[in-house]
Amino acid sequence: MNGTVNYVADRDGGANAGRQDNRGFEGLAITPDGSKLYAVLQDPLINEPTPNNGRNGRNLRIVVFDNDRHSPTYGTSIAQLAYQLELQADIAARIVAAGGTATPTDPRQGRNIGLSAIVAINEHEFLVIERDNRGIGVDDPTGANVVGSKRVFKIDVRGATDITNTALPDNGDLAAAHITPVTKSPEVFIDLAANTLLPNGKLVEKWEGLTIGPRLKNGCHLILAGNDNDYSVTQEAGTNVQFDVYVDFNGGSVRRDLDQPTVLNGQVVGPVPAGFSLLPGVLHAYRASPEDLRGYVKPERRGQHHHDDDDDDDDHDHDHDRDHDRDDGRH
C-alpha cells in the first residue's frame, strides 16, 4: 500500500491490490493424502476487477499450497485457481420472488456474496459453501432481509487454469481471457436456506463451517454444516461501544451494553426480558448418499500410503434419492 505494508488497510484507505478488507482466506481444506492445502478467498481481490475495488466481481481465487514435507516447495503456494460466484442477478431474483428487496449493491456481487468454507471429497473434488450476508446476525437480529443464497456446491479443480501470474479481466469474461475456472456443479448439493430454519422460520446469516463425517450404517455419509454467530456481539459504527445481541425469534431483539450489563443506551433496563437469548451457534446434519459422494476418499492416517476406502462407496447401491436422504437426516 503506497510502499508501506498495511495488512488491515480498508478498501478506501489507499490499498490498490490484494484482498479486500475483511475478505481474506475464509476456508481451508486438506486433500485426503495430506499433500495439498486448498485455501479459498471469500471474495475477489481489490484489483479484480479494478473498478469498485473488486466489489462488483464474481471471480475469486482458490490458492493451492504444497503440504508435502519432503517437497522442495513445502509450505508455499504452487497454484491459484479461479472460482465463479453465482450471478448477483440470479440471487436478487430469488430474493424478490420470496417477497424481499434487492438492488445491484444489496447483496453486492463480490462483497456480500462469497465463499465461506471448503472440504475435500478426494484429491480433485471439493464441497464449498457459497452464501450472501443476509439472515439473522448481529447486524440484522430480526432477520428483516430475505435470504437469497446459502448453498453448498460441488467443484472439480481438474483442468482449471493456473492463474498465479495472471490478472483476471475487469469485465469478468474468463473465457475470452482463455482462463478455465474450476468446474462447478450446475445443481445445488445442499440448499441450506431450505433446511436450516430457526424457530421463527428465518435463517442464520453466517454459514461458515462444513465437514464430511463418518459413514452411517445405511451407507450414507454425514455432512455437518455450522454457522458463526460472531459471539452475538455487535458494535456501533465509529465507536468502541459493543453490545450483546439478544433475540426472541419472534422478530424482537435487544442489545445490552457489555461494560454496564444493566444499562442500554444510557437507560437502566433491568435484566434481559424473558424469552430472549443470545444468537445461537447452529449445527445441521445431513445425509449424503453413496452416489452423492461417489469417489469420496477418506483422509489417510499418519503413515498410511494408499487411498483405499475399506468401505468403498462403489460396492454399494447408488439408487438413493439425494434430497430425501438429506432432508430426513438434518437433525
Side-chain angles (χ1 to χ4, degrees):
M1 180 179 128
N2 301 326
T4 302
V5 176
N6 186 335
Y7 294 104
V8 295
D10 66 27
R11 59 185 178 273
D12 299 316
N16 53 28
R19 61 102 180 99
Q20 296 181 55
D21 61 298
N22 198 31
R23 294 295 187 273
F25 287 129
E26 191 73 4
L28 183 67
I30 185 169
T31 55
D33 66 357
S35 66
K36 294 183 179 68
L37 300 175
Y38 283 76
V40 297
L41 285 164
Q42 184 173 354
D43 281 300
L45 299 180
I46 288 174
N47 50 309
E48 294 179 345
T50 299
N52 294 304
N53 297 326
R55 286 172 283 176
N56 287 345
R58 65 177 298 215
N59 300 314
L60 54 79
R61 291 174 181 249
I62 299 176
V63 183
V64 187
F65 292 90
D66 186 350
N67 196 47
D68 182 354
R69 292 181 178 274
H70 303 291
S71 170
T73 56
Y74 170 65
T76 65
S77 171
I78 54 176
Q80 295 184 28
L81 312 174
Y83 176 96
Q84 292 197 302
L85 297 166
E86 279 195 282
L87 288 170
Q88 192 271 354
D90 293 341
I91 295 174
R94 289 199 293 270
I95 291 171
V96 172
T101 301
T103 71
T105 57
D106 182 17
R108 190 167 197 168
Q109 184 81 66
R111 183 65 185 176
N112 306 134
I113 302 166
L115 288 184
S116 288
I118 182 171
V119 63
I121 298 174
N122 49 49
E123 307 300 322
H124 58 87
E125 291 182 298
F126 301 82
L127 297 178
V128 296
I129 293 180
E130 185 175 325
R131 66 169 181 85
D132 59 19
N133 66 343
R134 293 179 168 219
I136 291 181
V138 294
D139 295 323
D140 183 15
T142 64
N145 291 321
V146 173
V147 168
S149 176
K150 301 281 189 266
R151 296 181 157 196
V152 177
F153 290 99
K154 182 187 289 187
I155 64 171
D156 193 328
V157 301
R158 289 178 299 185
T161 305
D162 183 359
I163 56 172
T164 299
N165 297 309
T166 304
L168 300 183
D170 281 346
N171 64 5
D173 190 343
L174 297 184
H178 306 291
I179 295 172
T180 302
V182 301
T183 301
K184 183 178 176 181
S185 61
E187 68 278 359
V188 179
F189 192 83
I190 300 176
D191 186 351
L192 295 169
N195 298 317
T196 57
L197 298 178
L198 290 171
N200 65 346
K202 297 187 178 182
L203 305 163
V204 295
E205 175 194 354
K206 292 188 174 181
W207 286 100
E208 295 189 346
L210 187 68
T211 190
I212 300 173
R215 185 169 181 163
L216 306 175
K217 288 183 178 180
N218 63 359
C220 297
H221 270 87
L222 176 73
I223 304 285
L224 192 66
N227 79 301
D228 176 5
N229 69 351
D230 285 338
Y231 297 101
S232 200
V233 172
T234 191
Q235 182 171 316
E236 294 285 5
T239 75
N240 292 322
V241 179
Q242 293 186 323
F243 299 91
D244 274 330
V245 177
Y246 292 82
V247 295
D248 64 358
F249 298 112
N250 290 312
S253 68
V254 63
R255 299 188 306 174
R256 299 295 304 270
D257 191 315
L258 297 186
D259 296 322
Q260 303 180 60
T262 61
V263 176
L264 178 64
N265 296 333
Q267 299 295 319
V268 176
V269 296
V272 176
F276 283 78
S277 63
L278 295 172
L279 292 170
V282 178
L283 292 175
H284 272 255
Y286 299 81
R287 288 185 301 184
S289 73
E291 183 62 31
D292 293 342
L293 289 182
R294 189 180 184 91
Y296 173 66
V297 177
K298 63 184 179 183
E300 293 182 3
R301 296 187 180 90
R302 184 179 296 274
Q304 186 177 356
H305 298 292
H306 58 82
H307 298 174
D308 294 337
D309 189 333
D310 293 337
D311 300 318
D312 190 352
D313 288 344
D314 290 339
D315 293 337
H316 294 267
D317 178 15
H318 298 305
D319 295 329
H320 292 263
D321 181 83
R322 177 180 357 193
D323 294 330
H324 180 271
D325 283 337
R326 289 199 190 109
D327 291 349
D328 286 350
R330 61 174 197 279
H331 296 291

PDB file of all heavy atoms in Angstrom, residues 82-97:
ATOM      1  N   ALA A  82      -9.282 -20.017 -10.450  1.00  0.00           N
ATOM      2  CA  ALA A  82     -10.420 -19.099 -10.444  1.00  0.00           C
ATOM      3  C   ALA A  82     -11.717 -19.839 -10.104  1.00  0.00           C
ATOM      4  O   ALA A  82     -11.956 -20.950 -10.579  1.00  0.00           O
ATOM      5  CB  ALA A  82     -10.558 -18.416 -11.804  1.00  0.00           C
ATOM      6  N   TYR A  83     -12.543 -19.202  -9.292  1.00  0.00           N
ATOM      7  CA  TYR A  83     -13.863 -19.711  -8.935  1.00  0.00           C
ATOM      8  C   TYR A  83     -14.876 -18.624  -9.252  1.00  0.00           C
ATOM      9  O   TYR A  83     -14.670 -17.445  -8.919  1.00  0.00           O
ATOM     10  CB  TYR A  83     -13.923 -20.060  -7.449  1.00  0.00           C
ATOM     11  CG  TYR A  83     -15.288 -20.509  -6.967  1.00  0.00           C
ATOM     12  CD1 TYR A  83     -15.600 -21.863  -6.872  1.00  0.00           C
ATOM     13  CD2 TYR A  83     -16.285 -19.582  -6.624  1.00  0.00           C
ATOM     14  CE1 TYR A  83     -16.857 -22.284  -6.435  1.00  0.00           C
ATOM     15  CE2 TYR A  83     -17.529 -19.993  -6.195  1.00  0.00           C
ATOM     16  CZ  TYR A  83     -17.815 -21.345  -6.103  1.00  0.00           C
ATOM     17  OH  TYR A  83     -19.057 -21.758  -5.683  1.00  0.00           O
ATOM     18  N   GLN A  84     -15.983 -19.008  -9.883  1.00  0.00           N
ATOM     19  CA  GLN A  84     -17.012 -18.039 -10.237  1.00  0.00           C
ATOM     20  C   GLN A  84     -18.223 -18.157  -9.309  1.00  0.00           C
ATOM     21  O   GLN A  84     -18.853 -19.213  -9.202  1.00  0.00           O
ATOM     22  CB  GLN A  84     -17.462 -18.238 -11.686  1.00  0.00           C
ATOM     23  CG  GLN A  84     -16.372 -17.883 -12.692  1.00  0.00           C
ATOM     24  CD  GLN A  84     -16.928 -17.683 -14.090  1.00  0.00           C
ATOM     25  OE1 GLN A  84     -17.548 -18.570 -14.645  1.00  0.00           O
ATOM     26  NE2 GLN A  84     -16.687 -16.509 -14.656  1.00  0.00           N
ATOM     27  N   LEU A  85     -18.536 -17.050  -8.632  1.00  0.00           N
ATOM     28  CA  LEU A  85     -19.707 -16.978  -7.779  1.00  0.00           C
ATOM     29  C   LEU A  85     -20.974 -16.960  -8.631  1.00  0.00           C
ATOM     30  O   LEU A  85     -20.941 -16.623  -9.814  1.00  0.00           O
ATOM     31  CB  LEU A  85     -19.667 -15.711  -6.923  1.00  0.00           C
ATOM     32  CG  LEU A  85     -18.508 -15.580  -5.927  1.00  0.00           C
ATOM     33  CD1 LEU A  85     -18.421 -14.143  -5.425  1.00  0.00           C
ATOM     34  CD2 LEU A  85     -18.678 -16.545  -4.766  1.00  0.00           C
ATOM     35  N   GLU A  86     -22.093 -17.302  -8.008  1.00  0.00           N
ATOM     36  CA  GLU A  86     -23.374 -17.139  -8.694  1.00  0.00           C
ATOM     37  C   GLU A  86     -23.558 -15.676  -9.084  1.00  0.00           C
ATOM     38  O   GLU A  86     -23.105 -14.765  -8.390  1.00  0.00           O
ATOM     39  CB  GLU A  86     -24.531 -17.553  -7.779  1.00  0.00           C
ATOM     40  CG  GLU A  86     -24.805 -19.022  -7.695  1.00  0.00           C
ATOM     41  CD  GLU A  86     -26.171 -19.278  -7.066  1.00  0.00           C
ATOM     42  OE1 GLU A  86     -26.256 -19.166  -5.828  1.00  0.00           O
ATOM     43  OE2 GLU A  86     -27.117 -19.578  -7.800  1.00  0.00           O
ATOM     44  N   LEU A  87     -24.266 -15.445 -10.175  1.00  0.00           N
ATOM     45  CA  LEU A  87     -24.549 -14.083 -10.601  1.00  0.00           C
ATOM     46  C   LEU A  87     -25.430 -13.366  -9.582  1.00  0.00           C
ATOM     47  O   LEU A  87     -26.390 -13.944  -9.055  1.00  0.00           O
ATOM     48  CB  LEU A  87     -25.237 -14.083 -11.960  1.00  0.00           C
ATOM     49  CG  LEU A  87     -24.364 -14.451 -13.156  1.00  0.00           C
ATOM     50  CD1 LEU A  87     -25.244 -14.648 -14.397  1.00  0.00           C
ATOM     51  CD2 LEU A  87     -23.318 -13.377 -13.412  1.00  0.00           C
ATOM     52  N   GLN A  88     -25.107 -12.103  -9.331  1.00  0.00           N
ATOM     53  CA  GLN A  88     -25.895 -11.317  -8.402  1.00  0.00           C
ATOM     54  C   GLN A  88     -27.349 -11.233  -8.855  1.00  0.00           C
ATOM     55  O   GLN A  88     -28.274 -11.275  -8.035  1.00  0.00           O
ATOM     56  CB  GLN A  88     -25.301  -9.911  -8.265  1.00  0.00           C
ATOM     57  CG  GLN A  88     -25.861  -9.087  -7.110  1.00  0.00           C
ATOM     58  CD  GLN A  88     -27.088  -8.264  -7.477  1.00  0.00           C
ATOM     59  OE1 GLN A  88     -27.477  -8.219  -8.644  1.00  0.00           O
ATOM     60  NE2 GLN A  88     -27.692  -7.629  -6.489  1.00  0.00           N
ATOM     61  N   ALA A  89     -27.561 -11.164 -10.170  1.00  0.00           N
ATOM     62  CA  ALA A  89     -28.918 -11.051 -10.696  1.00  0.00           C
ATOM     63  C   ALA A  89     -29.756 -12.278 -10.347  1.00  0.00           C
ATOM     64  O   ALA A  89     -30.956 -12.175 -10.052  1.00  0.00           O
ATOM     65  CB  ALA A  89     -28.880 -10.861 -12.210  1.00  0.00           C
ATOM     66  N   ASP A  90     -29.142 -13.462 -10.365  1.00  0.00           N
ATOM     67  CA  ASP A  90     -29.872 -14.683 -10.031  1.00  0.00           C
ATOM     68  C   ASP A  90     -30.251 -14.712  -8.552  1.00  0.00           C
ATOM     69  O   ASP A  90     -31.359 -15.123  -8.178  1.00  0.00           O
ATOM     70  CB  ASP A  90     -29.035 -15.911 -10.382  1.00  0.00           C
ATOM     71  CG  ASP A  90     -28.826 -16.073 -11.881  1.00  0.00           C
ATOM     72  OD1 ASP A  90     -29.596 -15.465 -12.657  1.00  0.00           O
ATOM     73  OD2 ASP A  90     -27.891 -16.793 -12.278  1.00  0.00           O
ATOM     74  N   ILE A  91     -29.313 -14.287  -7.704  1.00  0.00           N
ATOM     75  CA  ILE A  91     -29.588 -14.256  -6.263  1.00  0.00           C
ATOM     76  C   ILE A  91     -30.637 -13.204  -5.945  1.00  0.00           C
ATOM     77  O   ILE A  91     -31.561 -13.436  -5.152  1.00  0.00           O
ATOM     78  CB  ILE A  91     -28.279 -13.987  -5.490  1.00  0.00           C
ATOM     79  CG1 ILE A  91     -27.311 -15.162  -5.695  1.00  0.00           C
ATOM     80  CG2 ILE A  91     -28.553 -13.764  -4.005  1.00  0.00           C
ATOM     81  CD1 ILE A  91     -25.943 -14.944  -5.110  1.00  0.00           C
ATOM     82  N   ALA A  92     -30.530 -12.038  -6.590  1.00  0.00           N
ATOM     83  CA  ALA A  92     -31.513 -10.977  -6.387  1.00  0.00           C
ATOM     84  C   ALA A  92     -32.907 -11.436  -6.812  1.00  0.00           C
ATOM     85  O   ALA A  92     -33.910 -11.119  -6.154  1.00  0.00           O
ATOM     86  CB  ALA A  92     -31.104  -9.727  -7.161  1.00  0.00           C
ATOM     87  N   ALA A  93     -32.968 -12.201  -7.900  1.00  0.00           N
ATOM     88  CA  ALA A  93     -34.267 -12.686  -8.384  1.00  0.00           C
ATOM     89  C   ALA A  93     -34.919 -13.608  -7.359  1.00  0.00           C
ATOM     90  O   ALA A  93     -36.142 -13.563  -7.164  1.00  0.00           O
ATOM     91  CB  ALA A  93     -34.084 -13.408  -9.720  1.00  0.00           C
ATOM     92  N   ARG A  94     -34.125 -14.451  -6.697  1.00  0.00           N
ATOM     93  CA  ARG A  94     -34.678 -15.332  -5.664  1.00  0.00           C
ATOM     94  C   ARG A  94     -35.195 -14.518  -4.478  1.00  0.00           C
ATOM     95  O   ARG A  94     -36.227 -14.849  -3.875  1.00  0.00           O
ATOM     96  CB  ARG A  94     -33.624 -16.333  -5.198  1.00  0.00           C
ATOM     97  CG  ARG A  94     -33.284 -17.396  -6.232  1.00  0.00           C
ATOM     98  CD  ARG A  94     -32.622 -18.596  -5.587  1.00  0.00           C
ATOM     99  NE  ARG A  94     -31.316 -18.289  -5.057  1.00  0.00           N
ATOM    100  CZ  ARG A  94     -30.170 -18.398  -5.741  1.00  0.00           C
ATOM    101  NH1 ARG A  94     -30.192 -18.780  -7.009  1.00  0.00           N
ATOM    102  NH2 ARG A  94     -29.020 -18.125  -5.170  1.00  0.00           N
ATOM    103  N   ILE A  95     -34.468 -13.463  -4.125  1.00  0.00           N
ATOM    104  CA  ILE A  95     -34.883 -12.611  -3.015  1.00  0.00           C
ATOM    105  C   ILE A  95     -36.217 -11.939  -3.332  1.00  0.00           C
ATOM    106  O   ILE A  95     -37.144 -11.928  -2.514  1.00  0.00           O
ATOM    107  CB  ILE A  95     -33.797 -11.554  -2.714  1.00  0.00           C
ATOM    108  CG1 ILE A  95     -32.549 -12.229  -2.133  1.00  0.00           C
ATOM    109  CG2 ILE A  95     -34.322 -10.492  -1.753  1.00  0.00           C
ATOM    110  CD1 ILE A  95     -31.351 -11.306  -2.005  1.00  0.00           C
ATOM    111  N   VAL A  96     -36.325 -11.389  -4.518  1.00  0.00           N
ATOM    112  CA  VAL A  96     -37.558 -10.702  -4.921  1.00  0.00           C
ATOM    113  C   VAL A  96     -38.721 -11.689  -4.998  1.00  0.00           C
ATOM    114  O   VAL A  96     -39.840 -11.393  -4.572  1.00  0.00           O
ATOM    115  CB  VAL A  96     -37.352  -9.992  -6.270  1.00  0.00           C
ATOM    116  CG1 VAL A  96     -38.671  -9.446  -6.796  1.00  0.00           C
ATOM    117  CG2 VAL A  96     -36.325  -8.869  -6.131  1.00  0.00           C
ATOM    118  N   ALA A  97     -38.457 -12.889  -5.531  1.00  0.00           N
ATOM    119  CA  ALA A  97     -39.507 -13.906  -5.641  1.00  0.00           C
ATOM    120  C   ALA A  97     -40.032 -14.312  -4.272  1.00  0.00           C
ATOM    121  O   ALA A  97     -41.192 -14.725  -4.143  1.00  0.00           O
ATOM    122  CB  ALA A  97     -38.979 -15.121  -6.394  1.00  0.00           C
TER     123      ALA A  97
END
